[in-house]
Short mmCIF file of all heavy atoms in Angstrom, two decimals:
data_model
loop_
_atom_site.label_atom_id
_atom_site.label_comp_id
_atom_site.label_asym_id
_atom_site.label_seq_id
_atom_site.Cartn_x
_atom_site.Cartn_y
_atom_site.Cartn_z
N LYS A 1 -53.79 109.68 -74.77
CA LYS A 1 -53.79 110.14 -73.35
C LYS A 1 -53.95 108.85 -72.35
O LYS A 1 -54.86 108.15 -72.48
CB LYS A 1 -54.84 111.11 -73.10
CG LYS A 1 -54.66 112.34 -73.78
CD LYS A 1 -55.76 113.27 -73.54
CE LYS A 1 -55.74 114.63 -74.41
NZ LYS A 1 -56.93 115.42 -74.29
N PRO A 2 -52.92 108.69 -71.35
CA PRO A 2 -53.04 107.45 -70.63
C PRO A 2 -53.87 107.66 -69.34
O PRO A 2 -53.85 108.79 -68.77
CB PRO A 2 -51.63 107.23 -70.17
CG PRO A 2 -50.94 108.57 -70.27
CD PRO A 2 -51.73 109.31 -71.26
N ILE A 3 -54.66 106.55 -68.91
CA ILE A 3 -55.28 106.58 -67.67
C ILE A 3 -54.88 105.31 -66.99
O ILE A 3 -54.99 104.20 -67.57
CB ILE A 3 -56.86 106.58 -67.81
CG1 ILE A 3 -57.25 107.84 -68.56
CG2 ILE A 3 -57.49 106.63 -66.43
CD1 ILE A 3 -57.57 107.51 -69.97
N ALA A 4 -54.53 105.32 -65.67
CA ALA A 4 -53.99 104.19 -64.94
C ALA A 4 -54.95 103.93 -63.78
O ALA A 4 -55.83 104.76 -63.43
CB ALA A 4 -52.71 104.38 -64.35
N GLU A 5 -54.92 102.72 -63.19
CA GLU A 5 -55.71 102.23 -61.92
C GLU A 5 -57.08 101.88 -62.49
O GLU A 5 -57.83 102.58 -63.09
CB GLU A 5 -55.85 103.35 -61.02
CG GLU A 5 -54.45 103.71 -60.30
CD GLU A 5 -53.82 102.51 -59.60
OE1 GLU A 5 -54.40 101.95 -58.81
OE2 GLU A 5 -52.65 102.28 -59.97
N SER A 6 -57.41 100.56 -62.28
CA SER A 6 -58.60 99.91 -63.01
C SER A 6 -59.80 100.75 -62.58
O SER A 6 -60.72 100.84 -63.55
CB SER A 6 -58.67 98.46 -62.75
OG SER A 6 -58.89 98.26 -61.34
N LEU A 7 -60.07 100.98 -61.27
CA LEU A 7 -61.36 101.73 -60.93
C LEU A 7 -61.47 103.05 -61.58
O LEU A 7 -62.52 103.48 -61.96
CB LEU A 7 -61.44 101.71 -59.46
CG LEU A 7 -61.44 100.33 -58.68
CD1 LEU A 7 -61.72 100.62 -57.33
CD2 LEU A 7 -62.45 99.36 -59.24
N VAL A 8 -60.34 103.77 -61.67
CA VAL A 8 -60.35 105.09 -62.31
C VAL A 8 -60.77 104.95 -63.81
O VAL A 8 -61.42 105.68 -64.39
CB VAL A 8 -58.94 105.71 -62.24
CG1 VAL A 8 -58.91 107.05 -62.98
CG2 VAL A 8 -58.68 106.02 -60.74
N ILE A 9 -60.02 103.90 -64.36
CA ILE A 9 -60.36 103.66 -65.88
C ILE A 9 -61.81 103.26 -66.10
O ILE A 9 -62.39 103.65 -67.08
CB ILE A 9 -59.38 102.54 -66.39
CG1 ILE A 9 -57.91 102.86 -66.32
CG2 ILE A 9 -59.72 102.24 -67.88
CD1 ILE A 9 -56.92 101.75 -66.56
N LEU A 10 -62.38 102.37 -65.25
CA LEU A 10 -63.88 102.06 -65.39
C LEU A 10 -64.72 103.29 -65.34
O LEU A 10 -65.56 103.42 -66.09
CB LEU A 10 -64.25 101.18 -64.33
CG LEU A 10 -63.67 99.68 -64.34
CD1 LEU A 10 -64.11 98.88 -63.26
CD2 LEU A 10 -64.11 99.04 -65.73
N GLU A 11 -64.43 104.22 -64.45
CA GLU A 11 -65.28 105.55 -64.50
C GLU A 11 -64.98 106.36 -65.73
O GLU A 11 -65.97 106.84 -66.33
CB GLU A 11 -64.97 106.32 -63.26
CG GLU A 11 -65.48 105.70 -61.99
CD GLU A 11 -65.68 106.69 -60.85
OE1 GLU A 11 -66.41 107.83 -61.22
OE2 GLU A 11 -65.28 106.54 -59.67
N TYR A 12 -63.82 106.37 -66.16
CA TYR A 12 -63.49 107.06 -67.34
C TYR A 12 -64.28 106.46 -68.66
O TYR A 12 -64.90 107.33 -69.40
CB TYR A 12 -61.99 107.04 -67.71
CG TYR A 12 -61.62 107.70 -68.97
CD1 TYR A 12 -61.43 109.14 -68.98
CD2 TYR A 12 -61.48 107.10 -70.17
CE1 TYR A 12 -61.10 109.83 -70.13
CE2 TYR A 12 -61.10 107.83 -71.35
CZ TYR A 12 -60.90 109.14 -71.33
OH TYR A 12 -60.59 109.85 -72.45
N ILE A 13 -64.20 105.10 -68.67
CA ILE A 13 -64.91 104.54 -69.73
C ILE A 13 -66.44 104.77 -69.68
O ILE A 13 -67.08 105.16 -70.75
CB ILE A 13 -64.72 102.98 -69.71
CG1 ILE A 13 -63.24 102.70 -70.06
CG2 ILE A 13 -65.79 102.27 -70.61
CD1 ILE A 13 -62.85 101.22 -69.76
N ASP A 14 -66.95 104.86 -68.56
CA ASP A 14 -68.39 105.00 -68.25
C ASP A 14 -68.80 106.41 -68.63
O ASP A 14 -69.87 106.60 -69.33
CB ASP A 14 -68.71 104.77 -66.83
CG ASP A 14 -70.25 104.46 -66.61
OD1 ASP A 14 -70.92 103.89 -67.49
OD2 ASP A 14 -70.88 104.91 -65.66
N GLU A 15 -67.96 107.34 -68.33
CA GLU A 15 -68.32 108.79 -68.58
C GLU A 15 -67.98 109.23 -70.04
O GLU A 15 -68.65 110.04 -70.68
CB GLU A 15 -67.48 109.72 -67.78
CG GLU A 15 -67.87 109.56 -66.16
CD GLU A 15 -66.85 110.31 -65.35
OE1 GLU A 15 -65.99 111.04 -65.77
OE2 GLU A 15 -67.12 110.23 -64.11
N THR A 16 -67.04 108.45 -70.73
CA THR A 16 -66.63 108.83 -72.21
C THR A 16 -67.55 108.14 -73.14
O THR A 16 -67.83 108.84 -74.20
CB THR A 16 -65.27 108.30 -72.33
OG1 THR A 16 -64.37 108.92 -71.38
CG2 THR A 16 -64.72 108.67 -73.76
N TRP A 17 -68.06 106.91 -72.93
CA TRP A 17 -68.90 106.26 -73.89
C TRP A 17 -70.24 105.98 -73.18
O TRP A 17 -70.41 104.90 -72.48
CB TRP A 17 -68.30 104.97 -74.25
CG TRP A 17 -67.03 105.24 -75.22
CD1 TRP A 17 -67.02 105.47 -76.43
CD2 TRP A 17 -65.68 105.14 -74.68
NE1 TRP A 17 -65.74 105.79 -76.91
CE2 TRP A 17 -64.80 105.46 -75.81
CE3 TRP A 17 -64.99 104.92 -73.50
CZ2 TRP A 17 -63.44 105.57 -75.75
CZ3 TRP A 17 -63.59 104.83 -73.46
CH2 TRP A 17 -62.91 105.20 -74.56
N GLN A 18 -71.19 106.87 -73.41
CA GLN A 18 -72.44 106.65 -72.55
C GLN A 18 -73.62 106.20 -73.50
O GLN A 18 -74.67 106.08 -73.00
CB GLN A 18 -72.92 108.09 -72.17
CG GLN A 18 -71.83 108.70 -71.10
CD GLN A 18 -72.28 109.95 -70.30
OE1 GLN A 18 -73.52 110.29 -70.51
NE2 GLN A 18 -71.46 110.54 -69.51
N GLU A 19 -73.32 105.94 -74.73
CA GLU A 19 -74.28 105.46 -75.66
C GLU A 19 -74.41 103.83 -75.41
O GLU A 19 -73.42 103.13 -75.00
CB GLU A 19 -74.17 105.74 -77.02
CG GLU A 19 -73.88 107.24 -77.33
CD GLU A 19 -75.35 107.91 -76.97
OE1 GLU A 19 -76.37 107.38 -77.22
OE2 GLU A 19 -75.20 109.16 -76.50
N GLY A 20 -75.51 103.26 -75.80
CA GLY A 20 -75.63 101.74 -75.94
C GLY A 20 -75.84 101.15 -74.51
O GLY A 20 -76.93 101.39 -73.90
N TYR A 21 -74.86 100.58 -73.97
CA TYR A 21 -75.09 99.78 -72.71
C TYR A 21 -75.37 100.81 -71.56
O TYR A 21 -74.86 101.93 -71.54
CB TYR A 21 -73.68 99.01 -72.36
CG TYR A 21 -73.89 98.13 -71.24
CD1 TYR A 21 -74.48 96.81 -71.38
CD2 TYR A 21 -73.57 98.38 -69.91
CE1 TYR A 21 -74.70 95.97 -70.27
CE2 TYR A 21 -73.78 97.55 -68.81
CZ TYR A 21 -74.23 96.40 -69.07
OH TYR A 21 -74.47 95.49 -67.93
N PRO A 22 -76.27 100.39 -70.64
CA PRO A 22 -76.59 101.32 -69.49
C PRO A 22 -75.28 101.77 -68.73
O PRO A 22 -74.28 100.98 -68.68
CB PRO A 22 -77.44 100.48 -68.54
CG PRO A 22 -78.08 99.41 -69.56
CD PRO A 22 -77.03 99.24 -70.60
N LEU A 23 -75.38 102.86 -68.07
CA LEU A 23 -74.17 103.42 -67.41
C LEU A 23 -73.75 102.29 -66.33
O LEU A 23 -74.63 101.74 -65.64
CB LEU A 23 -74.52 104.71 -66.69
CG LEU A 23 -74.72 106.04 -67.56
CD1 LEU A 23 -75.27 107.12 -66.88
CD2 LEU A 23 -73.47 106.29 -68.39
N LEU A 24 -72.38 102.24 -66.07
CA LEU A 24 -71.99 101.46 -65.02
C LEU A 24 -72.13 102.00 -63.76
O LEU A 24 -72.26 101.24 -62.66
CB LEU A 24 -70.41 101.10 -65.37
CG LEU A 24 -70.16 100.45 -66.64
CD1 LEU A 24 -68.62 100.40 -66.80
CD2 LEU A 24 -70.72 99.10 -66.87
N MET A 25 -72.01 103.32 -63.69
CA MET A 25 -72.25 103.93 -62.39
C MET A 25 -73.64 104.51 -62.27
O MET A 25 -74.24 105.04 -63.24
CB MET A 25 -71.24 105.15 -62.22
CG MET A 25 -69.82 104.68 -62.07
SD MET A 25 -69.36 103.96 -60.57
CE MET A 25 -69.19 105.49 -59.56
N PRO A 26 -74.28 104.41 -60.98
CA PRO A 26 -75.60 105.00 -60.90
C PRO A 26 -75.55 106.48 -61.06
O PRO A 26 -74.55 107.25 -60.93
CB PRO A 26 -75.92 104.74 -59.39
CG PRO A 26 -75.08 103.66 -59.04
CD PRO A 26 -73.79 103.85 -59.71
N LYS A 27 -76.64 107.08 -61.50
CA LYS A 27 -76.90 108.50 -61.82
C LYS A 27 -76.91 109.38 -60.39
O LYS A 27 -76.52 110.35 -60.25
CB LYS A 27 -77.96 108.87 -62.69
CG LYS A 27 -77.87 108.47 -64.20
CD LYS A 27 -78.97 108.83 -65.01
CE LYS A 27 -78.76 108.47 -66.50
NZ LYS A 27 -79.88 108.76 -67.29
N ASP A 28 -77.53 108.76 -59.55
CA ASP A 28 -77.83 109.31 -58.14
C ASP A 28 -76.42 109.54 -57.57
O ASP A 28 -75.82 108.50 -57.33
CB ASP A 28 -78.76 108.49 -57.32
CG ASP A 28 -79.00 108.99 -55.97
OD1 ASP A 28 -79.68 110.01 -55.83
OD2 ASP A 28 -78.38 108.53 -55.00
N PRO A 29 -76.23 110.73 -57.00
CA PRO A 29 -74.85 110.99 -56.37
C PRO A 29 -74.52 109.96 -55.20
O PRO A 29 -73.45 109.62 -54.94
CB PRO A 29 -74.96 112.43 -55.94
CG PRO A 29 -75.94 112.93 -56.86
CD PRO A 29 -76.85 111.92 -57.18
N TYR A 30 -75.62 109.78 -54.35
CA TYR A 30 -75.38 109.03 -53.25
C TYR A 30 -75.15 107.49 -53.55
O TYR A 30 -74.20 106.84 -53.14
CB TYR A 30 -76.54 109.00 -52.29
CG TYR A 30 -76.48 108.07 -51.02
CD1 TYR A 30 -75.48 108.38 -50.11
CD2 TYR A 30 -77.31 106.89 -50.95
CE1 TYR A 30 -75.38 107.54 -49.01
CE2 TYR A 30 -77.10 106.17 -49.89
CZ TYR A 30 -76.21 106.38 -48.85
OH TYR A 30 -76.02 105.53 -47.77
N GLN A 31 -75.96 107.03 -54.51
CA GLN A 31 -75.75 105.65 -54.95
C GLN A 31 -74.40 105.46 -55.74
O GLN A 31 -73.73 104.38 -55.60
CB GLN A 31 -76.89 105.22 -56.01
CG GLN A 31 -78.26 105.20 -55.33
CD GLN A 31 -78.22 104.07 -54.22
OE1 GLN A 31 -77.59 103.06 -54.29
NE2 GLN A 31 -78.99 104.41 -53.09
N ARG A 32 -74.14 106.52 -56.44
CA ARG A 32 -72.72 106.48 -57.09
C ARG A 32 -71.52 106.43 -56.02
O ARG A 32 -70.57 105.75 -56.25
CB ARG A 32 -72.58 107.79 -58.00
CG ARG A 32 -71.47 107.71 -59.01
CD ARG A 32 -71.60 108.62 -60.16
NE ARG A 32 -71.63 110.04 -59.82
CZ ARG A 32 -72.69 110.81 -59.88
NH1 ARG A 32 -73.84 110.28 -60.48
NH2 ARG A 32 -72.74 112.08 -59.64
N SER A 33 -71.69 107.20 -54.91
CA SER A 33 -70.58 107.11 -53.91
C SER A 33 -70.55 105.79 -53.28
O SER A 33 -69.45 105.29 -52.87
CB SER A 33 -71.00 108.21 -52.87
OG SER A 33 -72.08 107.86 -52.12
N LEU A 34 -71.73 105.13 -53.04
CA LEU A 34 -71.75 103.73 -52.62
C LEU A 34 -71.17 102.74 -53.51
O LEU A 34 -70.35 101.83 -53.06
CB LEU A 34 -73.29 103.22 -52.47
CG LEU A 34 -73.96 103.89 -51.17
CD1 LEU A 34 -75.45 103.33 -51.04
CD2 LEU A 34 -73.28 103.67 -49.81
N ALA A 35 -71.24 102.93 -54.81
CA ALA A 35 -70.61 101.97 -55.79
C ALA A 35 -69.08 102.18 -55.72
O ALA A 35 -68.47 101.24 -55.79
CB ALA A 35 -71.13 102.35 -57.17
N ARG A 36 -68.64 103.43 -55.49
CA ARG A 36 -67.24 103.73 -55.32
C ARG A 36 -66.68 102.97 -54.13
O ARG A 36 -65.67 102.39 -54.06
CB ARG A 36 -66.87 105.17 -55.39
CG ARG A 36 -67.15 105.92 -56.68
CD ARG A 36 -66.41 107.28 -56.56
NE ARG A 36 -66.68 108.08 -57.89
CZ ARG A 36 -67.58 109.03 -58.01
NH1 ARG A 36 -68.39 109.35 -57.02
NH2 ARG A 36 -67.75 109.53 -59.18
N PHE A 37 -67.53 103.16 -53.06
CA PHE A 37 -67.15 102.52 -51.74
C PHE A 37 -66.94 101.12 -51.92
O PHE A 37 -65.97 100.46 -51.48
CB PHE A 37 -68.19 102.98 -50.75
CG PHE A 37 -67.94 102.14 -49.41
CD1 PHE A 37 -67.03 102.74 -48.43
CD2 PHE A 37 -68.54 101.01 -49.13
CE1 PHE A 37 -66.77 102.02 -47.20
CE2 PHE A 37 -68.23 100.22 -48.07
CZ PHE A 37 -67.42 100.79 -47.02
N TRP A 38 -67.91 100.32 -52.46
CA TRP A 38 -67.80 98.84 -52.52
C TRP A 38 -66.74 98.40 -53.55
O TRP A 38 -66.13 97.40 -53.30
CB TRP A 38 -69.22 98.36 -52.83
CG TRP A 38 -70.17 98.33 -51.64
CD1 TRP A 38 -71.27 99.25 -51.50
CD2 TRP A 38 -70.05 97.58 -50.48
NE1 TRP A 38 -71.71 98.99 -50.26
CE2 TRP A 38 -71.09 98.13 -49.63
CE3 TRP A 38 -69.16 96.65 -50.06
CZ2 TRP A 38 -71.23 97.52 -48.37
CZ3 TRP A 38 -69.36 96.08 -48.75
CH2 TRP A 38 -70.51 96.52 -47.96
N ALA A 39 -66.45 99.20 -54.73
CA ALA A 39 -65.47 98.69 -55.47
C ALA A 39 -64.05 98.95 -54.78
O ALA A 39 -63.24 98.02 -54.94
CB ALA A 39 -65.55 99.73 -56.75
#
């Protein structure tokens, strides 16, 4: 299954593989929206 666009792919990676390295996106919805904004 293909996923395009680098920022979309980064979120997909973060949501799909949650073990090991800390989450790339904040858990808090507001902080997560800020991360999307700055990216």
Side-chain angles (χ1 to χ4, degrees):
K1 297 176 182 178
I3 304 101
E5 300 295 306
S6 66
L7 299 183
V8 176
I9 297 171
L10 289 178
E11 287 206 49
Y12 179 85
I13 291 170
D14 202 34
E15 292 171 6
T16 303
W17 292 281
Q18 298 192 8
E19 302 299 321
Y21 190 82
L23 290 174
L24 301 176
M25 292 286 282
K27 289 184 179 179
D28 177 76
Y30 177 67
Q31 294 299 322
R32 194 158 60 243
S33 70
L34 287 181
R36 288 193 183 104
F37 172 86
W38 286 107

